[in-house]
Amino acid sequence: MVGETRISFVLSLKKPAMATAFDLRLPCPYLPLDFLFLLRHARGTRLSSAAKEQLMARTCVWNAIQVKVYQRVADPLAAPSQLHPPAARAGGESPKKRTPVESSLRGAVRNSVHLVFACWESVRLMSAFVVPGWPLRGGVAGSRRSRALYPHHGSAGLLRRRAFPRCTAGDVRGSYTVGRRLPSETPPPLPVPTDYVLISETAEWRRLVEHASEIDRLHLRELMQDVDRVRSLRAEYDGIYLDYSRQRVTKDTIELLFALARRARLVDKIRAMQSGAHINVTERRAVLHTALRAERNASLVVDGTDVVRDVWRVLDHVREFSERVRSGEHRGATGKPLRSVIAVGIGGSYLGPDFVHEAFRTDPEAFEAARGRHLHFLSNVDPVDIKRCTQDLSAEETLIVIVSKSFTTAETLLNARAMREWLWSEMGRSDEVVRLHMVACSSNVPMVEKFGIDPRNTFEFWDWVGGRYSVCSAVGALPLSIQYGFPTFLRFLEGARSVDANFYDVASPLAGNLPVIMGLLGVWNLSFLGYKSRALHPYAEALLKFPAHIQQVDMESNGKHVTLRGDDVDYAVGEIDFGEPGTNGQHSFFQLLHMGQTVPCDFIGFIESQYPLCIEGEPVSNADELMANFFAQPDALAYGKTAAECRAEGRPEWLIPHLVTTGNRPSLTLLLQRLDPYATGQLLALYEHRTAVQGFIWDINSFDQWGVELGKVLAKRVRKQLNESRYFGRPISEEFNASTRDLMERYLRGQVGCVFNEPFDYHRDTDTGRSPL
Ligand SMILES: O=P(O)(O)OC[C@H]1O[C@](O)(CO)[C@@H](O)[C@@H]1O
């Protein structure tokens, strides 16, 4: 064996024809081929057949060499190269038109280059495969382009890298890691048990169904009288006090839910997540947002890379850059310090940072740290959002942070280009303006570079961080550290880490695992009691954006209809989440919560206020007034009001039916000391993991979002049509249904309200390339 040498090599073949040339017979369409490729071409190696068999087992486990060969295919599930989408057309740049002859000539040349290259690399790798201590040098990439393709390799001091000239993203990629001893391999996702059945077909599930009809006979009014029960339905961890006695459960329910968790192999799934297994099976990715808040001295090797080391490399970069901006060392193009930040992003690239920003804003220490600074978020593609963001700002003093994991999201890129135009319109059209005023957080570094952002000002994150789970990555770290200082952001990470420890401590009784308890209660309420919605009420104005963030975390994660294996679920999964801070929510939709549909509620409150205001002569402080409502609402929902109680109040008989509230409406209460950056991190992790627990029990993939992709594809068709009709007078295609056609026609009759001074690519006819102007 080669001992301490490890080589990681990725070859992405753009065309199936190329695969044929290499005789790659893929065992299944999406495979990273691992050693199969080498072994098929390995003649005369010194490997024993037992060793070959082991390598053929697709586990890519061998401590000497790791090789992956990807084939790009049409099926999205089958396209690992999707992780690095082709560079063309993003950032508004459009490819040059080529004649067919030019294109096929180029294609042929490129194919031959790839073929020669791949053969050469096979020989090199084969040599390393059989010769101990083979002095391998090279791989990717001295050039900025190839460094961008494999940014995570950029950090290892021991790497030897070399550019692959003429390669573009999506063509051929390779990387070697030389001389690092890697302690462990990425574990494979959990094997599917041979006796696999839908969770709803298990005895544990059926027992809960029966139990639900027993619970239906009990009212929370009675349940709350059992002091023993009430005291047993609570848990506490690191300053978070969870009271779930107002859930429609008994101690038996909880035992039955634990039995269901055992049957669903919840503990194994949590461990698989923690270890970096590819539990996001449809995208073949690990789910490691918890690594984003791991301690600096921790280590977690996933797919051959120590992800914690990478996390801290980026955090150090964030610290250094944010300090330079805050101190005024990094200045704008006209020499002014950058006091304002506009973070441009949408969905997970916006909601998390916005929630945390709001939570920090009135924390006394964070407030001090942010004095004189402004943070804004530009999310909606509605141009009005641009107007609102920029109207009070001076471009000369503004830094734009483009946040997009994919760097292909249409809304974000259009907003990014709009921001670039805004900067240029104020300070002149120069690369320098972009270099000094625009930075990016993305996992698609080549596209960021293509946009014109200095690669040194690009803060990467990785495909194992889902967008909605990315607030602890550079996505949140950069804008929030610039605004509040890096130490404040670190305290937020520490809070999240604390709850991660609780969640991953599956060796301890699950009764003390807050995310597990909350997740199981969520499953109970939806799948067994049939409550389709869930409301989140933080009694803290600073958490005003928390419900919106959790809405995405939960609904994008668990809004699914098939199990991990692709079987239809025959049970309800994924609640509708909404919420508002108390007491505002009470004066908005609480009427329905009290008298209309039953919606399980989460109440979040704090012992200390961020702003403890006491007005002389008032019977209680302002915070006490808030908390009086916090304590009252859960009981109002649980107990309701009977006709007898109304009569006892002397209400007229005709009014009584309108006054009766049924009660028996479940809620849980979370009480924490005070809302500071640490507690903000705790709450984030608690709710992230609650969602994961539910997904684990339901056996769905909580970490992909294919539904959203469909909407994006359709919007692309409409965009093309609007362009063609608006600028070239083309009729609306018959491909659209009558309703959409009529709506679009009506819309197009209106004025766009824009005058373009010079034509640019976006307005070219999509077929002829002709400019309308
Ligand atoms: O960060 P990106 O790649 O721009 O994506 C933004 C958001 O779009 C989605 O893919 C779908 O809305 C979210 O999951 C993600 O948070």
Side-chain angles (χ1 to χ4, degrees):
M1 301 248 281
V2 184
E4 291 187 12
T5 302
R6 180 192 174 96
I7 299 161
S8 178
F9 173 62
V10 181
L11 175 62
S12 159
L13 301 173
K14 208 167 184 180
K15 297 190 175 146
M18 292 289 293
T20 315
F22 293 120
D23 188 30
L24 301 181
R25 289 190 203 99
L26 306 183
C28 61
Y30 47 74
L31 255 192
L33 272 177
D34 309 326
F35 290 98
L36 288 177
F37 175 76
L38 273 185
L39 291 174
R40 288 235 163 79
H41 296 267
R43 296 212 178 85
T45 64
R46 286 193 271 131
L47 281 179
S48 69
S49 48
K52 276 190 185 180
E53 249 168 53
Q54 192 196 342
L55 298 176
M56 296 283 275
R58 279 190 53 206
T59 54
C60 62
V61 175
W62 199 43
N63 74 347
I65 303 176
Q66 179 187 13
V67 178
K68 289 183 180 176
V69 180
Y70 289 136
Q71 182 189 21
R72 176 175 291 200
V73 290
D75 176 359
L77 292 188
S81 50
Q82 247 198 355
L83 308 185
H84 307 276
R89 275 205 88 86
E93 271 68 51
S94 63
K96 282 194 208 111
K97 285 261 172 209
R98 293 194 188 91
T99 65
V101 176
E102 273 174 348
S103 300
S104 64
L105 206 64
R106 256 179 86 86
V109 169
R110 197 170 50 197
N111 282 357
S112 332
V113 169
H114 293 178
L115 188 64
V116 169
F117 164 78
C119 292
W120 162 238
E121 291 303 330
S122 308
V123 171
R124 282 159 51 76
L125 286 166
M126 282 310 308
S127 312
F129 200 55
V130 294
V131 182
W134 175 259
L136 250 179
R137 292 285 180 274
V140 200
S143 78
R144 281 201 312 213
R145 174 189 293 284
S146 43
R147 198 163 49 239
L149 288 173
Y150 276 85
H152 58 282
H153 287 179
S155 64
L158 292 165
L159 294 187
R160 300 282 184 275
R161 290 170 295 169
R162 184 196 64 193
F164 295 155
R166 308 183 63 80
C167 292
T168 58
D171 290 352
V172 178
R173 307 176 190 126
S175 62
Y176 306 150
T177 306
V178 180
R180 270 170 63 207
R181 184 187 283 280
L182 296 171
S184 65
E185 289 289 349
T186 305
L190 289 178
V192 179
T194 43
D195 59 346
Y196 178 86
V197 285
L198 279 183
I199 189 73
S200 57
E201 288 165 14
T202 63
E204 288 79 357
W205 185 280
R206 279 195 297 274
R207 271 201 286 281
L208 276 159
V209 173
E210 287 158 20
H211 181 69
S213 46
E214 290 161 23
I215 290 289
D216 271 342
R217 292 193 283 274
L218 298 169
H219 194 287
L220 272 173
R221 242 178 257 137
E222 298 144 29
L223 290 172
M224 290 304 288
Q225 277 172 9
D226 178 351
V227 177
D228 239 24
R229 171 193 164 279
V230 168
R231 296 232 159 101
S232 70
L233 299 179
R234 60 178 64 157
E236 194 168 359
Y237 175 78
D238 192 19
I240 311 171
Y241 180 83
L242 165 66
D243 179 342
Y244 53 103
S245 59
R246 286 178 197 76
Q247 290 285 314
R248 293 186 57 208
V249 296
T250 61
K251 288 190 230 170
D252 288 348
T253 321
I254 301 301
E255 285 313 314
L256 290 172
L257 285 169
F258 284 146
L260 182 71
R262 280 192 293 279
R263 180 61 192 242
R265 300 194 304 159
L266 177 65
V267 165
D268 291 347
K269 290 176 181 177
I270 293 174
R271 286 199 175 118
M273 173 176 163
Q274 182 183 20
S275 65
H278 287 196
I279 61 168
N280 175 357
V281 290
T282 59
E283 296 179 304
R284 315 248 137 214
R285 292 173 185 174
V287 175
L288 277 175
H289 41 278
T290 51
L292 299 170
R293 47 242 192 181
E295 277 186 281
R296 188 189 280 274
N297 57 11
S299 167
L300 179 61
V301 175
V302 175
D303 300 332
T305 305
D306 186 344
V307 294
V308 178
R309 193 193 50 187
D310 281 353
V311 163
W312 278 92
R313 177 171 48 79
V314 175
L315 282 176
D316 286 339
H317 189 191
V318 167
R319 180 207 302 262
E320 177 264 334
F321 184 78
S322 61
E323 282 171 2
R324 283 200 295 123
V325 173
R326 286 170 62 81
S327 67
E329 190 188 328
H330 179 104
R331 286 173 184 254
T334 58
K336 292 193 177 168
L338 301 172
R339 297 187 197 287
S340 301
V341 168
I342 300 179
V344 182
I346 198 164
S349 293
Y350 149 65
L351 290 162
D354 193 21
F355 130 64
V356 178
H357 166 53
E358 290 294 343
F360 287 6
R361 251 175 77 181
T362 36
D363 172 73
E365 282 174 35
F367 175 81
E368 277 309 315
R371 219 173 250 286
R373 304 206 58 84
H374 307 281
L375 175 57
H376 304 265
F377 292 90
L378 171 56
S379 146
N380 201 336
V381 77
D382 183 340
V384 171
D385 206 8
I386 296 177
K387 179 74 181 154
R388 286 169 182 235
C389 259
T390 55
Q391 63 187 359
D392 295 326
L393 294 184
S394 145
E396 289 175 82
E397 295 177 275
T398 303
L399 179 74
I400 311 289
V401 181
I402 313 295
V403 186
S404 177
K405 178 176 170 181
S406 59
F407 221 78
T408 58
T409 302
E411 296 95 321
T412 300
L413 287 189
L414 182 54
N415 276 338
R417 292 191 292 272
M419 286 294 95
R420 191 172 56 183
E421 289 295 327
W422 177 63
L423 294 172
W424 280 341
S425 70
E426 302 277 317
M427 288 177 286
R429 213 176 183 83
S430 79
D431 291 349
E432 186 71 348
V433 166
V434 175
R435 199 177 63 74
L436 292 171
H437 288 263
M438 296 189 93
V439 300
C441 304
S442 181
S443 60
N444 190 349
V445 185
M447 297 289 267
V448 174
E449 200 178 336
K450 192 161 184 206
F451 185 89
I453 290 175
D454 187 342
R456 285 168 303 180
N457 293 341
T458 301
F459 299 81
E460 73 194 84
F461 60 109
W462 307 271
D463 62 12
W464 43 262
V465 185
R468 54 193 174 273
Y469 296 97
S470 65
V471 59
C472 293
S473 72
V475 167
L478 187 63
L480 295 164
S481 297
I482 295 175
Q483 178 69 6
Y484 297 104
F486 188 71
T488 309
F489 189 76
L490 278 190
R491 283 202 296 285
F492 164 70
L493 293 187
E494 282 160 17
R497 184 189 308 150
S498 144
V499 171
D500 294 343
N502 182 228
F503 178 53
Y504 284 149
D505 182 16
V506 284
S508 299
L510 292 183
N513 193 316
L514 269 51
V516 168
I517 299 283
M518 288 173 63
L520 291 176
L521 291 172
V523 171
W524 169 245
N525 283 328
L526 175 61
S527 302
F528 297 97
L529 299 185
Y531 301 137
K532 291 192 165 44
S533 313
R534 178 169 53 196
L536 181 54
H537 313 295
Y539 275 64
E541 184 61 16
L543 286 180
L544 80 163
K545 298 290 181 73
F546 189 48
H549 176 54
I550 296 310
Q551 194 172 52
Q552 189 204 7
V553 166
D554 199 72
M555 292 174 73
E556 199 165 270
S557 296
N558 287 342
K560 306 291 159 63
H561 66 124
V562 292
T563 65
L564 290 171
R565 286 193 349 159
D567 302 322
D568 285 339
V569 292
D570 61 2
Y571 41 92
V573 305
E575 300 91 343
I576 299 161
D577 291 274
F578 67 98
E580 271 291 317
T583 63
N584 289 10
Q586 289 172 216
H587 299 276
S588 162
F589 50 77
F590 265 51
Q591 169 62 32
L592 182 142
L593 304 189
H594 287 296
M595 286 188 162
Q597 296 179 34
T598 299
V599 179
C601 296
D602 288 7
F603 290 91
I604 304 175
F606 298 89
I607 295 168
E608 286 173 45
S609 172
Q610 284 186 341
Y611 181 50
L613 178 65
C614 302
I615 299 170
E616 216 174 323
E618 292 291 337
V620 291
S621 73
N622 294 51
D624 282 351
E625 179 61 34
L626 173 76
M627 292 303 281
N629 284 278
F630 171 80
F631 294 119
Q633 294 304 317
D635 278 342
L637 290 167
Y639 289 80
K641 195 167 190 179
T642 63
E645 283 167 340
C646 297
R647 272 187 205 106
E649 285 175 1
R651 301 293 192 153
E653 204 57 35
W654 64 268
L655 190 58
I656 286 176
H658 300 277
L659 299 179
V660 168
T661 46
T662 56
N664 208 22
R665 290 157 190 263
S667 66
L668 63 79
T669 304
L670 285 164
L671 189 62
L672 292 87
Q673 188 62 33
R674 76 186 264 272
L675 181 62
D676 53 16
Y678 187 87
T680 308
Q682 286 184 308
L683 284 173
L684 171 84
L686 192 56
Y687 277 81
E688 283 178 347
H689 298 325
R690 174 191 75 163
T691 291
V693 168
Q694 292 188 208
F696 289 153
I697 300 286
W698 287 323
D699 200 29
I700 57 177
N701 185 357
S702 301
F703 305 105
D704 60 9
Q705 58 285 319
W706 295 103
V708 190
E709 305 304 323
L710 174 65
K712 288 183 188 171
V713 172
L714 294 184
K716 207 168 167 181
R717 271 178 55 205
V718 178
R719 184 185 307 123
K720 182 171 184 285
Q721 181 68 63
L722 289 180
N723 169 270
E724 291 174 359
S725 301
R726 181 77 82 192
Y727 299 112
F728 298 90
R730 298 231 173 98
I732 294 180
S733 159
E734 295 285 320
E735 281 176 19
F736 294 101
N737 62 47
S739 161
T740 309
R741 268 202 319 271
D742 292 351
L743 284 165
M744 280 163 68
E745 257 156 28
R746 186 172 271 262
Y747 172 71
L748 283 164
R749 280 200 292 273
Q751 289 299 309
V752 72
C754 294
V755 177
F756 301 106
N757 296 325
E758 46 187 64
F760 52 95
D761 285 338
Y762 199 69
H763 295 100
R764 285 180 196 281
D765 181 299
T766 39
D767 289 338
T768 64
R770 195 165 52 83
S771 165
L773 301 173

